[in-house]
Amino acid sequence: MLIPMPAVASPGGPPSQYLLSVRPYMLAILIVQSLACILQVFYLLEILQGFINTIALALGWYAWKQDMNITFICYWGMMGLINGSFDLVRFIDAQVHYGGPIFTKDDMPRNIMSAVHIFGPLSFIGGAVFAYRAYNRYDTPVAEATSGAWGRDRDSPSTYGATRQSFQTFHGQGQRLGNA
């Protein structure tokens, strides 16, 4: 295991009401990301970086098409966080080394390039935040999930009286092989 993380949830049926309620927001994020990828590949001619971002974007579109599949939403979010962070750092590095204004009145191609380099990574990082929230709340009722609390503790008792099973690793009697 490369990164110690909990297992990605796998859907066990239809999507939750919460995921269905945030589906339009994911669509808006995906449209912004699609526009950024199209401009990155075909206008700025950043083929390799645009291709990598398009792979992450394809995971998001697949998750959306598959009725908000939480597994692929998590994959889209993780890949978007990594790609968006690297793209943003690359933009900041270029600004530090080469300077100059980000937007100018006279240079429209530079303004488009700067806009793509700023809003593209921010849209992927925003998608990662969306995926994090979807992962944390994918199995909660809509009223509880949309109450405004940013990061609900998944182990806290629900306000609707549902109890969670208590599971502790490496507890119990255990069995030894060869003792009959």
Side-chain angles (χ1 to χ4, degrees), residues 114-135:
S114 295
V116 170
H117 284 154
I118 291 172
F119 296 117
L122 291 180
S123 70
F124 278 98
I125 292 171
V129 171
F130 175 89
Y132 170 76
R133 291 190 68 174
Y135 175 74

Side-chain angles (χ1 to χ4, degrees), residues 58-108:
L59 288 171
W61 278 113
Y62 184 77
W64 186 81
K65 183 183 176 300
Q66 294 296 319
D67 289 330
M68 301 296 284
N69 185 317
I70 191 65
T71 305
F72 284 97
I73 290 174
C74 291
Y75 294 155
W76 167 64
M78 287 188 297
M79 194 164 179
L81 178 66
I82 293 167
N83 288 344
S85 299
F86 279 125
D87 284 352
L88 194 60
V89 168
R90 188 174 59 141
F91 172 73
I92 292 169
D93 182 58
Q95 282 302 117
V96 167
H97 285 96
Y98 302 116
I102 296 174
F103 296 104
T104 63
K105 270 184 167 177
D106 304 329
D107 195 3
M108 189 55 138

Side-chain angles (χ1 to χ4, degrees), residues 151-174:
R152 174 179 75 82
D153 183 14
R154 291 186 55 79
D155 295 328
S156 66
S158 173
T159 58
Y160 292 97
T163 58
R164 295 186 183 257
Q165 286 186 345
S166 174
F167 177 77
Q168 296 177 346
T169 56
F170 302 113
H171 283 264
Q173 180 182 2

Side-chain angles (χ1 to χ4, degrees), residues 25-46:
Y25 301 113
M26 183 172 175
L27 178 63
I29 293 170
L30 288 169
I31 289 171
V32 171
Q33 288 178 350
S34 297
L35 183 62
C37 284
I38 289 169
L39 288 172
Q40 189 175 28
V41 171
F42 296 108
Y43 183 76
L44 300 179
L45 299 177
E46 296 177 356

